[in-house]
Amino acid sequence: MSKLGIEGAHPGGINLTKEIFKREDINRNSHILDVGCGTGQTAAYIAYRYGAKVTGIDINPTMVAKAKMRMKKNQLPVTIMQCLVEEIPLPDNHFDFIASESVLAFVNKPMALKEIFRLLKSGGRFIAIEQTINGRLKENEENEIKQFYGFDSLSTEKDWVALLQQAGFDRIRIEENTSIESVPDIPDANELEAELYEIMDKHSDMMTRYKEILGYRIYSCTK
Ligand SMILES: C[S@@+](CC[C@H](N)C(=O)[O-])C[C@H]1O[C@@H](n2cnc3c(N)ncnc32)[C@H](O)[C@@H]1O
């Protein structure tokens, strides 16, 4: 993602993010955390649109540098930190909202969800756009997908609900977005290095072969 210079990298893109946040009760006093913030597109949008107090964390140093640069360039008072979502050095019960957009599939989900729960205030909201499989796969297919994308595990809707409940979340709502599509800003094939071209090629192949299985859902729940 950082090599390709992609700004935002979750299904539905920034337009889906805007729709989801519109429904929440966010104002300038809200404390919001974006876990796995990438280049900071969502964090910047929320800070700009709502004047909220926003923090973004990510483990990748290139992403962190790009996110910091974005905030500086746009003069946005967003705090960007480099750390693991499984271990965030911030106090308990601190945030009104935590967002996770295409991040938890890559990490240890129970550990990350425990950390997100700890950081949320009582009554705080967790909003996630996360990779979800639409059915079970054969072991070799599952391994191929996990290996190529670097996913820690593949979860169905039912698995996600169980994970969220185990972490302590309540009022779990699940949505399948069918109207908003993301159009990633990917460079022209002939501008890509050979290695990146192969990766994009394999990605298209996987998307074609597993199009019925690889999906995503919007999860929202309350502490
Ligand atoms: C697919 S990108 C999504 C980025 C951003 N949320 C967006 O929608 O554009 C996944 C992000 O998660 C970050 N990430 C992966 N594992 C992580 C971890 N254990 N802790 C924190 N960030 C992590 C990656 O560095 C990357 O920026």
Side-chain angles (χ1 to χ4, degrees):
M1 200 186 140
S2 58
K3 279 194 177 180
L4 288 168
I6 298 172
E7 292 284 302
H10 59 269
I14 191 69
N15 289 334
L16 180 59
T17 301
K18 289 179 182 175
E19 279 307 307
I20 295 171
F21 279 94
K22 211 189 272 177
R23 307 176 203 154
E24 302 291 333
D25 188 16
I26 300 175
N27 58 54
R28 49 189 304 113
N29 297 318
S30 306
H31 282 86
I32 305 181
L33 173 67
D34 184 14
V35 297
C37 66
T39 67
Q41 192 183 41
T42 291
Y45 168 73
I46 298 169
Y48 175 77
R49 167 71 182 78
Y50 299 97
K53 297 172 181 65
V54 185
T55 303
I57 69 107
D58 201 286
I59 195 55
N60 183 303
T62 308
M63 296 299 187
V64 167
K66 286 193 173 195
K68 282 187 176 169
M69 190 94 79
R70 182 197 292 273
M71 304 315 162
K72 198 174 165 193
K73 196 172 145 202
N74 295 291
Q75 298 184 329
L76 290 167
V78 174
T79 306
I80 301 291
M81 294 163 49
Q82 186 180 354
C83 65
L84 287 167
V85 60
E86 299 94 326
E87 214 174 321
I88 303 174
L90 290 171
D92 297 358
N93 310 313
H94 189 68
F95 291 98
D96 301 289
F97 296 90
I98 299 185
S100 139
E101 297 179 314
S102 198
V103 177
L104 298 189
F106 302 100
V107 310
N108 179 309
K109 289 176 186 140
M111 278 177 72
L113 288 170
K114 191 175 166 204
E115 194 64 342
I116 289 167
F117 192 82
R118 177 185 75 76
L119 291 166
L120 271 179
K121 289 178 187 167
S122 174
R125 304 265 297 143
F126 175 49
I127 298 149
I129 302 172
E130 290 291 349
Q131 196 271 332
T132 301
I133 51 170
N134 297 321
R136 285 287 161 210
L137 289 150
K138 292 190 191 124
E139 201 183 328
N140 63 325
E141 294 174 327
E142 185 156 335
N143 288 338
E144 183 189 17
I145 295 170
K146 284 201 316 205
Q147 207 178 10
F148 179 69
Y149 289 105
F151 291 147
D152 181 76
S153 57
L154 299 176
S155 306
T156 60
E157 224 179 74
K158 212 168 143 198
D159 297 332
W160 274 110
V161 171
L163 284 159
L164 290 165
Q165 282 173 338
Q166 274 157 25
F169 287 103
D170 200 9
R171 289 164 51 195
I172 301 166
R173 183 176 156 177
I174 308 165
E175 282 169 86
E176 196 171 354
N177 163 57
T178 47
S179 55
I180 301 175
E181 280 183 41
S182 58
V183 187
D185 190 16
I186 295 172
D188 217 82
N190 52 21
E191 286 174 25
L192 293 177
E193 293 166 30
E195 181 208 3
L196 290 180
Y197 183 78
E198 269 174 42
I199 292 173
M200 290 311 294
D201 208 31
K202 171 96 183 174
H203 169 63
S204 314
D205 170 55
M206 301 277 275
M207 283 296 160
T208 311
R209 279 197 290 136
Y210 296 114
K211 74 170 184 295
E212 306 300 332
I213 286 286
L214 292 178
Y216 72 95
R217 300 288 186 281
I218 303 150
Y219 299 90
S220 57
C221 49
T222 305
K223 174 170 174 179

